Amino acid sequence: MKALRPFVLLPLLLATAQAWAVKPFVADYDASWKGVPASARISLQQADGGRWNYELSVQNAVGSARQATVFDETGDGFRPLSGSDTAQLLFKKSQKDARYDWAQREARWSGDVKPDRAGPVKLQDGDLDGMLVNLAIVRDVAAGKPLRYRVVDNGTAHVQTYQNLGKDTVTVAGQARTATKVARTSDDKQVLVWVVDGLPTPARILQRKNGQDELELTLKSVR
């Protein structure tokens, strides 16, 4: 019986790897941003050269915001290559651009950034940017891995650790779904993420600042 065990396990391992491979998707969300109802979309699209475009856009009556990351895969990890962060609120507009140079192992930022946030910041294997954390959480919750990430973003490098708060119920496309709820708290900010087994993107994301809801996304559909 022991001799048969590798042959029994192999299909299971292959199925797990295939289930969590990076695949394109477009997800639409009901949202609230800055206390105003909004629409939002998260998309993942394949690009040339083995690269991926990962994007979040939010829009409501007071403005719009867009975060985008270009990344590739290394082993079982995601490696940011470049990013952009734009926001427009009434008459105020800002744009920040990031470049992750893995040959030099440093990250730099340009655009509307303070001089002390322009970099360079030294890169380490496994580093993510803020956008890629959402993708990593979906992958790691499914695999039962620790939710601990070194995030290089906005001119800084810091560790984010999410706690698994157990099971919760979320509504997706009018149906109640069982989700794993995770959260992190640092200084005046709190981020909560709900992950539903089999969905490639969070079913719900809630960001709070100073105890007030800043951004909430609730999944409507994914394709």
Side-chain angles (χ1 to χ4, degrees), residues 99-180:
R99 293 290 180 270
Y100 297 85
D101 187 337
W102 289 95
Q104 298 296 322
R105 299 187 74 83
E106 64 180 28
R108 294 179 182 270
W109 291 262
S110 59
D112 298 313
V113 299
K114 297 178 180 179
D116 62 342
R117 291 296 183 95
V121 172
K122 289 296 182 182
L123 292 173
Q124 299 178 11
D125 291 343
D127 284 350
L128 302 174
D129 70 358
M131 272 289 290
L132 286 175
V133 171
N134 291 328
L135 204 58
I137 286 175
V138 172
R139 174 199 64 194
D140 294 340
V141 164
K145 293 183 178 179
L147 307 176
R148 187 176 186 275
Y149 311 101
R150 186 174 186 266
V151 180
V152 179
D153 208 359
N154 196 28
T156 66
H158 57 280
V159 174
Q160 294 183 1
T161 301
Y162 285 77
Q163 302 297 322
N164 189 324
L165 303 182
K167 298 299 182 181
D168 198 3
T169 301
V170 294
T171 301
V172 178
Q175 294 185 345
R177 303 287 298 272
T178 299
T180 300

Side-chain angles (χ1 to χ4, degrees), residues 89-107:
L89 291 168
L90 299 177
F91 301 106
K92 183 180 180 180
K93 183 177 181 180
S94 67
Q95 177 164 349
K96 301 174 184 178
D97 297 303
R99 293 290 180 270
Y100 297 85
D101 187 337
W102 289 95
Q104 298 296 322
R105 299 187 74 83
E106 64 180 28

Side-chain angles (χ1 to χ4, degrees), residues 9-199:
L9 290 176
L10 183 57
L12 296 176
L13 293 173
L14 290 175
T16 301
Q18 291 171 357
W20 295 106
V22 178
K23 297 178 181 179
F25 68 83
V26 177
D28 291 314
Y29 291 81
D30 287 324
S32 176
W33 182 45
K34 309 279 185 192
V36 179
S39 60
R41 172 171 288 181
I42 295 178
S43 64
L44 178 63
Q45 303 294 334
Q46 198 161 16
D48 294 336
R51 299 183 176 192
W52 294 85
N53 296 324
Y54 189 43
E55 180 178 323
L56 163 66
S57 59
V58 183
Q59 185 169 1
N60 64 10
V62 299
S64 61
R66 175 181 174 272
Q67 291 181 318
T69 295
V70 176
F71 72 95
D72 62 9
E73 296 181 85
T74 57
D76 61 351
F78 310 132
R79 185 174 66 171
L81 302 175
S82 64
S84 63
D85 187 346
T86 61
Q88 183 163 359
L89 291 168
L90 299 177
F91 301 106
K92 183 180 180 180
K93 183 177 181 180
S94 67
Q95 177 164 349
K96 301 174 184 178
D97 297 303
R99 293 290 180 270
Y100 297 85
D101 187 337
W102 289 95
Q104 298 296 322
R105 299 187 74 83
E106 64 180 28
R108 294 179 182 270
W109 291 262
S110 59
D112 298 313
V113 299
K114 297 178 180 179
D116 62 342
R117 291 296 183 95
V121 172
K122 289 296 182 182
L123 292 173
Q124 299 178 11
D125 291 343
D127 284 350
L128 302 174
D129 70 358
M131 272 289 290
L132 286 175
V133 171
N134 291 328
L135 204 58
I137 286 175
V138 172
R139 174 199 64 194
D140 294 340
V141 164
K145 293 183 178 179
L147 307 176
R148 187 176 186 275
Y149 311 101
R150 186 174 186 266
V151 180
V152 179
D153 208 359
N154 196 28
T156 66
H158 57 280
V159 174
Q160 294 183 1
T161 301
Y162 285 77
Q163 302 297 322
N164 189 324
L165 303 182
K167 298 299 182 181
D168 198 3
T169 301
V170 294
T171 301
V172 178
Q175 294 185 345
R177 303 287 298 272
T178 299
T180 300
K181 181 180 179 181
V182 304
R184 73 171 177 89
T185 301
S186 60
D187 299 327
D188 59 348
K189 296 181 180 179
Q190 184 182 36
V191 180
L192 299 100
V193 181
W194 287 257
V195 177
V196 172
D197 187 27
L199 294 182

